[in-house]
């Protein structure tokens, strides 16, 4: 049973554009929502994360928007670059949770 | 110095064989994990160990047996390999106070 639903499955954005990836969850016990970035042949690496007590978190060109009432959160990549081309995973975990529940991933291609 | 290292990176083996994947982390973390990434890139938790104690054991066939000789190592042994076991297996670790998971580079297992 998929606990975190992610869309779109793939995304093509022109250089300089905004990439937006959306996730939704059902379990209201989730209290930690990270985004991971994975390049081919590598393991996922933490990009940015948010807790439900804030509605937005920004780190450089990457922003998480969080809507607790809608149980949705999204990743915005501003000024997308070809080097951002990778697979992005949203995830969620419960307090003191010992595992991340991942979305199915979004393959992002940023064209020059 | 690699934080989470797995060996081997690639493993090709015949159906019915038994194989092991090793994982070591030098971050001083207490919690280690095995995740499976299928051909569609979906990441799913298999096992979680905290201080050498099994915490999470998802519905994984009992042909898969994790072993944690100490809190820096978590190995995965797979008996009677099947074609459906072909996937990329990731080891990860987290600190007791933090939530960021550090992943290894993965082991691509191909069963022929």
């Amino acid at each position: 049973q998929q606990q975190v639903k992610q869309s779109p499955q793939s995304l093509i954005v022109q250089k300089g554009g905004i990439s937006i990836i959306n996730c939704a969850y059902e379990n209201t016990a989730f209290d930690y929502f990270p985004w991971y970035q994975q390049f081919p042949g590598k393991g996922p690496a933490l990009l940015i994360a948010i807790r439900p007590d804030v509605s937005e978190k920004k780190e450089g060109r990457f922003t998480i928007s969080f809507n607790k009432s809608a149980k949705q959160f999204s990743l915005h990549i501003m000024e997308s670059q070809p080097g951002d081309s990778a697979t992005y995973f949203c995830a969620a975990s419960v307090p003191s949770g010992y595992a991340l529940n991942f979305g199915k991933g979004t393959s992002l291609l940023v064209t020059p | 110095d690699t934080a989470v290292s797995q060996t081997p990176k690639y493993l090709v083996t015949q159906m019915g064989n038994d194989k092991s994947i090793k994982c070591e982390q030098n971050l001083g973390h207490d919690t280690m994990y095995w995740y499976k990434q299928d051909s569609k890139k979906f990441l799913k938790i298999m096992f979680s160990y905290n201080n050498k104690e099994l915490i999470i054991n998802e519905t994984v066939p009992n042909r898969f047996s994790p072993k944690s000789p100490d809190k820096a190592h978590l190995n995965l042994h797979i008996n009677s390999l099947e074609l459906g076991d072909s996937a990329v297996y990731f080891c990860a670790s987290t600190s007791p106070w933090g939530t960021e998971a550090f992943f290894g580079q993965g082991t691509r297992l191909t069963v022929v």
Side-chain angles (χ1 to χ4, degrees):
Chain A
Q1 181 186 345
Q2 191 74 31
Q3 295 209 48
V4 180
K5 295 195 164 103
Q6 183 172 347
S7 63
Q9 190 176 347
S10 61
L11 184 59
I12 301 175
V13 172
Q14 278 198 325
K15 179 181 173 181
I18 303 173
S19 304
I20 302 174
I21 305 170
N22 300 300
C23 284
Y25 64 96
E26 286 300 323
N27 187 348
T28 53
F30 287 149
D31 78 334
Y32 175 68
F33 302 89
W35 285 89
Y36 279 77
Q37 180 188 54
Q38 185 180 25
F39 292 105
K42 303 290 184 186
L46 180 66
L47 188 63
I48 186 172
I50 199 168
R51 292 206 182 264
D53 52 347
V54 296
S55 60
E56 187 175 281
K57 184 173 181 181
K58 185 175 179 180
E59 288 183 4
R61 295 184 294 109
F62 301 92
T63 300
I64 300 179
S65 296
F66 186 82
N67 186 330
K68 189 173 179 178
S69 59
K71 291 185 283 186
Q72 295 174 347
F73 58 112
S74 59
L75 176 70
H76 291 62
I77 306 174
M78 313 300 286
E79 293 285 332
S80 298
Q81 302 296 315
D84 296 332
S85 298
T87 301
Y88 292 81
F89 295 92
C90 62
S93 68
V94 298
S96 303
Y98 285 103
L100 290 165
N101 298 278
F102 283 94
K104 288 197 171 183
T106 297
S107 180
L108 171 65
L109 176 64
V110 181
T111 59
Chain B
D1 216 12
T2 307
V4 181
S5 58
Q6 298 177 225
T7 52
K9 189 170 167 72
Y10 300 98
L11 186 52
V12 181
T13 187
Q14 289 190 323
M15 267 178 24
N17 283 351
D18 303 339
K19 289 293 178 187
S20 291
I21 307 171
K22 295 187 176 182
C23 178
E24 176 182 4
Q25 54 94 3
N26 62 6
L27 298 166
H29 290 168
D30 289 340
T31 309
M32 295 185 72
Y33 312 80
W34 280 109
Y35 284 86
K36 178 180 179 181
Q37 187 169 47
D38 63 22
S39 58
K40 295 184 179 178
K41 294 195 176 176
F42 179 48
L43 275 160
K44 190 172 179 353
I45 183 73
M46 298 174 70
F47 301 103
S48 167
Y49 266 76
N50 187 52
N51 266 321
K52 304 195 301 173
E53 182 184 340
L54 182 64
I55 300 297
I56 290 177
N57 181 356
E58 287 295 313
T59 47
V60 174
N62 57 16
R63 298 182 294 103
F64 290 78
S65 52
K67 272 211 172 76
S68 183
D70 55 61
K71 72 176 195 177
H73 295 84
L74 180 62
N75 303 323
L76 184 65
H77 188 76
I78 316 169
N79 289 328
S80 304
L81 277 154
E82 300 177 357
L83 293 176
D85 297 332
S86 295
V88 181
Y89 293 85
F90 285 100
C91 176
S93 71
T94 53
S95 64
W97 56 87
T99 40
E100 179 178 357
F102 291 81
F103 284 79
Q105 84 276 23
T107 296
R108 181 174 293 278
L109 171 66
T110 304
V111 183
V112 297

